[in-house]
Amino acid sequence: MVHYVKMEDGKVMPIQEMLKSIERYNPEHLKVIEAYVEEQARDNQYDLEANLACLKLYQFNPHLLNLDITYIILMKALTNFPHTDFVLCKCLLLPAQMNDEMVKEIIYLADILEKCDFSLFWSRVGKNPENYQKISGFYDSIRKFVCHVVGITFQTIDRGYLMRLLGNVEDNVLRGWLKRYGWKEEGNFVTIATQEDSIKTKHITEKIDFENLAPLMANCL
């Protein structure tokens, strides 16, 4: 669904077009942007520029701060790891946001993800699952990041360990992720594409003319 904003002259434009202009800093558009943020959570969409614009408007207009929208923006940024979206969002937070307990928890989750401590991450999320179930696709987005890390780290991995890294998933869920990435089950292990398959050998041939080598040989006499 395309969101439109109304300008002072009565004209309307898509929110993506508005975000490219000075109008992105107009507080009168905040309600439309917040509705767009909620739609992202509901429909598993993602628009970093809109979310940053929302946080910037809170900076300029602290009295309009909406913590519930802040939670959504930060959790959506988590779903886009390993990109640095979360850092960009965090830099725009007000003291009132930074001191909020839920915001502190989400920042802690981001720190855990950066350290790739996935078992701890799922443990923390499992304490209050209702907070994250509001974000459509949240769990699968994190699992995509887990698979990214596994894919660049392991050649083979214990099957049970991989299931724990993915959040203690069931067999059918695991097989879905294996199929998605082309990984193979071999007994109690999962074979990731071997690192040698992703490294292209380079053959380097150097050609040195005798004329270029002659002065060096003369100096050695």
Side-chain angles (χ1 to χ4, degrees):
M1 178 180 178
V2 179
H3 285 267
Y4 292 89
V5 290
K6 189 175 183 179
M7 302 294 105
E8 293 182 357
D9 58 4
K11 295 181 179 179
V12 296
M13 67 170 63
I15 191 170
Q16 286 80 7
E17 185 176 340
M18 181 273 292
L19 291 171
K20 298 177 182 178
S21 69
I22 193 65
E23 286 293 329
R24 69 182 288 156
Y25 303 112
N26 188 338
E28 293 183 2
H29 303 323
L30 181 58
K31 290 299 180 183
V32 176
I33 297 176
E34 288 177 334
Y36 184 36
V37 172
E38 292 177 322
E39 182 182 282
Q40 293 177 49
R42 183 174 61 252
D43 298 340
N44 196 15
Q45 302 175 12
Y46 186 57
D47 190 330
L48 176 62
E49 284 303 314
N51 297 348
L52 292 176
C54 187
L55 293 177
K56 197 65 179 179
L57 283 171
Y58 291 155
Q59 271 194 332
F60 292 153
N61 308 275
H63 61 289
L64 299 177
L65 174 61
N66 186 326
L67 285 172
D68 288 332
I69 297 296
T70 301
Y71 304 153
I72 294 175
I73 291 174
L74 293 179
M75 286 189 283
K76 290 297 294 183
L78 286 182
T79 66
N80 208 36
F81 262 72
H83 299 288
T84 57
D85 298 15
F86 192 87
V87 176
L88 297 175
C89 293
K90 183 181 175 182
C91 290
L92 295 178
L93 296 181
L94 294 163
Q97 293 164 303
M98 292 293 291
N99 292 327
D100 180 81
E101 291 303 317
M102 182 62 183
V103 171
K104 289 181 180 179
E105 178 65 15
I106 299 173
I107 291 175
Y108 181 55
L109 290 177
D111 183 57
I112 294 172
L113 284 180
E114 286 183 355
K115 296 176 180 177
C116 297
D117 192 344
F118 300 123
S119 295
L120 178 58
F121 176 87
W122 294 117
S123 175
R124 298 289 297 198
V125 168
K127 292 181 179 179
N128 297 287
E130 65 280 359
N131 293 331
Y132 311 97
Q133 291 169 350
K134 300 175 183 178
I135 310 298
S136 178
F138 179 82
Y139 294 98
D140 280 348
S141 295
I142 301 301
R143 289 178 181 127
K144 182 180 178 181
F145 174 55
V146 173
C147 289
H148 165 75
V149 174
V150 169
I152 63 176
T153 306
F154 294 91
Q155 293 192 38
T156 60
I157 184 172
D158 180 83
R159 186 177 185 277
Y161 181 48
L162 179 57
M163 294 174 74
R164 293 194 295 274
L165 292 181
L166 291 171
N168 294 311
V169 296
E170 301 293 334
D171 285 344
N172 61 320
V173 176
L174 174 65
R175 292 192 177 98
W177 286 99
L178 297 185
K179 181 178 180 181
R180 179 172 179 174
Y181 287 93
W183 298 345
K184 305 296 183 182
E185 285 187 81
E186 296 183 1
N188 293 326
F189 291 89
V190 172
T191 299
I192 313 299
T194 60
Q195 302 303 320
E196 289 79 3
D197 293 340
S198 61
I199 299 175
K200 295 182 179 179
T201 303
K202 294 183 178 180
H203 297 282
I204 301 175
T205 302
E206 295 187 7
K207 183 178 180 180
I208 303 176
D209 294 329
F210 178 77
E211 290 78 8
N212 296 329
L213 195 59
L216 178 61
M217 296 176 63
N219 291 333
C220 294
L221 297 176

